[in-house]
Amino acid sequence: MHNEHWVFGYGSLIFRVDFPYIKKQPASITGWSRRFWQGSHDHRGLPHAPGRVVTLVESSGEQCAGMAYLVKEHVFEHLDHREKNGYRRVDTALLFDDGNQRQGTVYIAEVDNHAFLGDASLDEIAAHIVASSGPSGHNIDYLLELDVALKQLGIDDAHVSQLAQLARDINTEDK
């Protein structure tokens, strides 16, 4: 058990699980909110035209719900590569839906990283997402897959659901 560790997913780690895990459980972390404020130069955008993906921003008293995965230590080599564009590992307390608490790791792209795009209006963020694409596909697909995955888990995230609706509206107008 000493080489097993919990990792918390709040974005693509919820809907694109491309790593082996021992078990998964719904969980949340306190003091953070999910926001589309991180640039993606390597997955959902390009070096000269980054897309937008989620990171966590400090939000006193808020809880960010997601999925926790119990993984073997070697899985972090893959996750470190996947989350390389400005994310770093942060140790955090995980609160599981069954009331248990454990220590775990979460990847956060903090405001001082090279790819951080920061806040903008929801309309601006949605338009940016609709217009972006990269090696991993269209940025809007990331947003919509995250929105569906959160809803399937019973997670109400106003930031994500409002952006998803705005992006759908823009995408429909463009056709």
Side-chain angles (χ1 to χ4, degrees):
M1 184 91 166
H2 65 279
N3 70 344
E4 297 173 354
H5 196 78
W6 286 100
V7 64
F8 179 72
Y10 57 90
S12 64
L13 292 184
I14 296 175
F15 66 84
R16 190 174 153 251
V17 184
D18 64 350
F19 54 92
Y21 60 90
I22 299 160
K23 66 180 173 178
K24 66 179 183 175
Q25 274 184 260
S28 61
I29 60 175
T30 302
W32 300 94
S33 293
R34 183 180 3 245
R35 293 290 182 264
F36 271 86
W37 292 4
Q38 176 66 5
S40 176
H41 300 86
D42 58 345
H43 288 295
R44 299 296 176 154
L46 300 169
H48 64 281
R52 276 187 178 259
V53 292
V54 290
T55 187
L56 296 176
V57 295
E58 289 189 70
S59 300
S60 180
E62 293 291 318
Q63 278 202 320
C64 179
M67 187 63 68
Y69 304 89
L70 185 61
V71 299
K72 297 276 189 184
E73 193 67 33
H74 69 85
V75 171
F76 282 101
E77 184 177 331
H78 169 73
L79 294 176
D80 287 348
H81 178 73
R82 177 175 163 170
E83 305 298 322
K84 69 183 182 283
N85 194 40
Y87 291 86
R88 69 178 187 88
R89 290 191 213 174
V90 175
D91 292 330
T92 188
L94 301 175
L95 178 60
F96 293 96
D97 284 6
D98 62 10
N100 286 321
Q101 190 169 335
R102 297 266 191 272
Q103 278 301 112
T105 297
V106 62
Y107 286 86
I108 298 176
E110 295 175 326
V111 300
D112 61 351
N113 85 80
H114 70 282
F116 192 77
L117 298 175
D119 193 8
S121 74
L122 289 177
D123 289 328
E124 290 172 305
I125 293 173
H128 185 158
I129 289 170
V130 169
S132 298
S133 187
S136 294
H138 298 287
N139 202 173
I140 190 172
D141 294 339
Y142 173 102
L143 168 60
L144 298 179
E145 287 181 61
L146 178 57
D147 185 47
V148 167
L150 292 174
K151 286 181 172 128
Q152 288 173 341
L153 292 172
I155 299 169
D156 180 25
D157 187 308
H159 179 77
V160 175
S161 60
Q162 290 171 8
L163 279 174
Q165 188 55 56
L166 288 168
R168 282 186 202 95
D169 293 347
I170 293 167
N171 210 28
T172 303
E173 292 170 6
D174 290 348
K175 292 184 178 182

